[in-house]
Amino acid sequence: MKLILLGAPGAGKGTQAEVICNALNIPAISTGNLLREAVKNGTALGMEAKTYMDGGKLVPDEIVINILKERLAQDDCQAGFILDGFPRTVPQAETLSQMGVEIDKVLDIEVPDEKIMQRLSGRRVCEGCGASYHLDYKPSKVEGVCDKCGAKTVQRKDDHPDTIKERLQVYHAQTEPLKDYYQQTGKLVVVEGQEEVAETSALTLKALEA
Ligand code: ADP
Ligand code: ZN
């Protein structure tokens, strides 16, 4: 199964990607995590991506596409995968299709902008493995420590309020048109993000059967 998760920043794509990953045993691929890894490793590509990411802008298509191609070429992706945060522009979606990748379903997780602000400002991520937490909705067992790997959890630079606003604008302008794009292929399924993570997860799993 080849899946795409669409949704605003903070809609919970990462969390739902993990739910699907556990249910279907296919890898979740987050271009945001791949980019942050490149930044952390100080690669040339990472250094270029960083300025865009810190400002809440999209990283140029060419860079993201290269990073994604490399990841999809790995063995664990051959049986399927979940794309979290890619495509994010129509040209990226067109490239994916030109690559011959046949997507089975696109899950669009809908969450209103007001909720997004609240969610992203409380978000914390693990420096070690990239796992995502929320101070109120999904706290780690020990505050500031990752449940999975024991590394420190921190606030992402782009989760500060001004940058969140910029990211939402970018989402509406550049990513939201993908809803129409995939609606036209008949592959779009809308999942309404719920207050409780477990409820959204149940809707996600149901959407996979639809
Ligand atoms: P979120 O969905 O919460 O905004 P991500 O971790 O998916 O967070 O992305 C963080 C940043 O990485 C984005 O703001 C953008 O700068 C960059 N990025 C990730 N995926 C893409 C993509 N497909 N195209 C362009 N930039 C991307
Ligand atoms: Zn961790």
Side-chain angles (χ1 to χ4, degrees):
M1 182 102 88
K2 292 175 183 160
L3 301 167
I4 290 173
L5 285 178
L6 271 185
K13 295 188 295 291
T15 306
Q16 295 309 313
E18 208 177 308
V19 168
I20 301 171
C21 169
N22 291 331
L24 301 183
N25 202 23
I26 48 176
I29 297 167
S30 152
T31 43
N33 283 348
L34 292 173
L35 287 166
R36 278 185 290 277
E37 215 167 283
V39 171
K40 202 165 86 183
N41 294 335
T43 65
L45 196 143
M47 300 328 293
E48 194 184 340
K50 187 179 189 313
T51 48
Y52 297 99
M53 294 170 76
D54 285 350
K57 311 264 189 222
L58 291 184
V59 173
D61 287 342
E62 199 195 312
I63 296 184
V64 187
I65 287 164
N66 280 336
I67 260 187
L68 182 84
K69 276 188 177 162
E70 222 169 81
R71 182 63 187 88
L72 290 187
Q74 288 171 25
D75 286 346
D76 63 334
C77 291
Q78 303 321 307
F81 46 78
I82 310 144
L83 296 180
D84 159 15
F86 187 98
R88 235 171 167 105
T89 63
V90 171
Q92 287 180 16
E94 285 166 345
T95 303
L96 196 61
S97 144
Q98 280 154 19
M99 282 163 64
V101 175
E102 287 190 27
I103 297 298
D104 297 292
K105 218 166 260 184
V106 179
L107 266 56
D108 168 38
I109 308 177
E110 285 287 327
V111 173
D113 282 8
E114 313 83 73
K115 276 263 161 243
I116 298 283
M117 291 298 292
Q118 185 185 334
R119 285 193 184 188
L120 287 182
S121 47
R123 176 157 80 175
R124 296 294 181 270
V125 292
C126 173
E127 277 185 335
C129 71
S132 185
Y133 299 94
H134 192 284
L135 294 181
D136 305 316
Y137 309 122
K138 194 191 173 196
S140 52
K141 292 195 184 88
V142 179
E143 198 185 321
V145 181
C146 177
D147 292 348
K148 291 185 182 153
C149 77
K152 206 164 73 163
T153 64
V154 295
Q155 182 169 45
R156 268 166 48 175
K157 217 175 186 167
D158 60 353
D159 280 345
H160 291 282
D162 288 349
T163 320
I164 295 174
K165 282 195 195 116
E166 173 68 27
R167 285 161 67 203
L168 272 172
Q169 274 174 15
V170 167
Y171 168 75
H172 290 303
Q174 304 207 61
T175 307
E176 221 168 9
L178 287 175
K179 287 197 234 168
D180 276 343
Y181 179 93
Y182 285 116
Q183 177 82 59
Q184 281 165 20
T185 66
K187 290 181 178 159
L188 193 79
V189 186
V190 176
V191 171
E192 295 288 344
Q194 304 293 308
E195 213 54 59
E196 295 288 331
V197 172
E199 286 174 22
T200 309
S201 304
L203 291 178
T204 293
L205 294 175
K206 218 164 100 189
L208 292 181
E209 291 163 15

